[in-house]
Amino acid sequence: MTDNLNPLEVSETINSETEKHQADDQILMNHAVMLKEIRSWGLWSLGLGAVHIFTSGFLSAPWGILLLIVGLASFYFQTASMFVIYATTLAWVALSNFASFQIGWVAFAAFQLILSFNVFKQYRQFRNVEAEYLKTIMENSALDKSSLKRASLIFPWTGSIVGCSTIVGMFFIFLYIAWVVISGNSTDASHIPVPNYIAFIKDLLVNFGVISFALGLASLLSQYRLKALAVIAMAAGIITVVIDIFFF
């Protein structure tokens, strides 16, 4: 019995399979780089969050709590959309430092804005990496896609719930301060002592509003299915910040 296989065709088939394996290996390597970067952000966020909490008074404890949450989330949601969270929180803290009008903090804020822009660029890069990884997942069911599923479901829901909750919380704080002003028989709220824990809760709510916006933005940019919830999350986050600016 004669073998009718063409050696050239066999060689081309082997080369094609080799190139495919090499391409898949490169995709997995790029995805591993993304995961390493996310873990790095997670560790830095946890460390800086702890520093903020232990140096409360000089640094912001509410911001420290937010950093701890972002750090922990980095190990649970290992997806490209986390870079939107990092970039948004960096931009927010930069704007807050600009508002201090202190030369040192303003200079640091400029650095934070540049870093935020670079992280957004990283998101665009790793979004493409993740898209290629998803294609590879379709061909290899053994690869882990649980983080992607968790983020696509939890980000929009959490963002909308947290955002709406922060608005409610800010409303009750406004009512409390209004009651303190009225009960103190004064029309000038700046001379009415407000407990430190109220200021702490207010700052924490504002930071949660920023996270709400970030979760909504990450959901929209990543094209998660629950777009209406993502929009609600962004709108609620903006409203929370606006309330803080104009009423406190």
Side-chain angles (χ1 to χ4, degrees):
M1 183 177 181
T2 58
D3 190 352
N4 295 324
L5 290 178
N6 188 327
L8 182 59
E9 292 179 352
V10 173
S11 177
E12 289 178 350
T13 301
I14 294 174
N15 290 336
S16 177
E17 290 179 354
T18 301
E19 290 176 358
K20 184 179 184 304
H21 286 308
Q22 290 176 345
D24 288 346
D25 289 343
Q26 185 61 50
I27 290 171
L28 295 178
M29 288 175 60
N30 292 338
H31 188 257
V33 170
M34 184 191 79
L35 296 182
K36 181 179 179 181
E37 190 72 14
I38 291 174
R39 286 192 293 269
S40 177
W41 274 100
L43 292 173
W44 274 104
S45 296
L46 290 174
L48 289 174
V51 169
H52 276 71
I53 291 175
F54 286 120
T55 59
S56 178
F58 174 69
L59 297 176
S60 172
W63 182 250
I65 292 175
L66 183 67
L67 288 175
L68 290 178
I69 293 173
V70 171
L72 292 173
S74 299
F75 296 96
Y76 189 68
F77 303 104
Q78 296 189 325
T79 70
S81 55
M82 282 302 302
F83 289 91
V84 179
I85 308 296
Y86 305 144
T88 303
T89 52
L90 277 171
W92 169 249
V93 73
L95 293 175
S96 300
N97 288 334
F98 268 123
S100 68
F101 299 110
Q102 298 179 10
I103 296 177
W105 285 114
V106 169
F108 188 52
F111 165 75
Q112 289 171 322
L113 281 180
I114 294 173
L115 183 58
S116 174
F117 176 75
N118 289 333
V119 174
F120 262 120
K121 289 174 61 178
Q122 278 188 306
Y123 165 71
R124 295 179 61 184
Q125 172 191 347
F126 287 129
R127 180 182 59 184
N128 296 330
V129 168
E130 193 167 71
E132 293 295 329
Y133 179 75
L134 284 173
K135 292 179 183 178
T136 307
I137 282 179
M138 301 300 293
E139 301 172 1
N140 186 352
S141 59
L143 295 178
D144 181 25
K145 52 185 176 181
S146 56
S147 289
L148 303 174
K149 289 183 177 179
R150 286 196 296 262
S152 64
L153 177 64
I154 296 177
F155 274 26
W157 276 107
T158 302
S160 59
I161 292 172
V162 170
C164 293
S165 299
T166 59
I167 294 175
V168 173
M170 295 292 279
F171 174 73
F172 279 109
I173 288 179
F174 176 80
L175 289 181
Y176 172 81
I177 294 177
W179 174 79
V180 170
V181 171
I182 294 172
S183 63
N185 296 320
S186 173
T187 58
D188 187 0
S190 62
H191 295 292
I192 301 297
V194 177
N196 290 333
Y197 71 89
I198 294 295
F200 177 90
I201 293 173
K202 190 269 294 181
D203 290 342
L204 190 60
L205 288 173
V206 173
N207 289 334
F208 279 148
V210 174
I211 278 293
S212 168
F213 176 86
L215 289 171
L217 181 61
S219 299
L220 285 181
L221 293 179
S222 301
Q223 298 182 346
Y224 294 155
R225 293 179 59 186
L226 302 173
K227 292 182 174 60
L229 291 177
V231 172
I232 291 173
M234 293 179 64
I238 292 173
I239 291 172
T240 300
V241 173
V242 169
I243 292 174
D244 180 53
I245 292 173
F246 290 98
F247 293 95
F248 294 100

